[in-house]
Amino acid sequence: MLDLKIKKLNENATIPTYGSTCAAGADLYSCEEEITFLPGETKLVHTGVAMQIPNGYVGLIYARSGIATKRGLAPANKVGVIDS
């Protein structure tokens, strides 16, 4: 198992969680109370956490299929890549 160091930068931050034992990745959460998007609008959404990605690994941010499909929400460039 990989030892991933996570630090809360905001008191409203939620540490990422796995939705099930079979989940391929952890869920990230916004630390902002409420965000409203207008159709076609792009916004930066803060998680309020910092993670130390070990050398040789990468952090990937993808849209959750349920939310992306039902609400039309997805990362602006469709995938986020966080290098170590």
Side-chain angles (χ1 to χ4, degrees):
M1 176 171 242
L2 185 65
D3 182 26
L4 184 63
K5 295 179 181 177
I6 302 173
K7 179 180 178 180
K8 285 176 100 171
L9 304 174
N10 182 300
E11 65 182 25
N12 295 326
T14 301
I15 298 297
T17 62
Y18 287 88
S20 71
T21 56
C22 296
D27 295 328
L28 291 173
Y29 303 90
S30 168
C31 67
E32 300 170 42
E33 293 208 14
E34 186 174 312
I35 303 170
T36 302
F37 287 88
L38 298 174
E41 186 176 28
T42 300
K43 290 186 178 182
L44 180 64
V45 178
H46 298 277
T47 63
V49 296
M51 294 182 220
Q52 183 180 12
I53 308 294
N55 288 336
Y57 288 86
V58 63
L60 300 172
I61 299 175
Y62 288 94
R64 278 188 59 193
S65 58
I67 291 176
T69 301
K70 292 175 187 169
R71 299 185 185 174
L73 296 174
N77 57 349
K78 302 303 178 206
V79 63
V81 176
I82 305 163
D83 296 319
S84 61

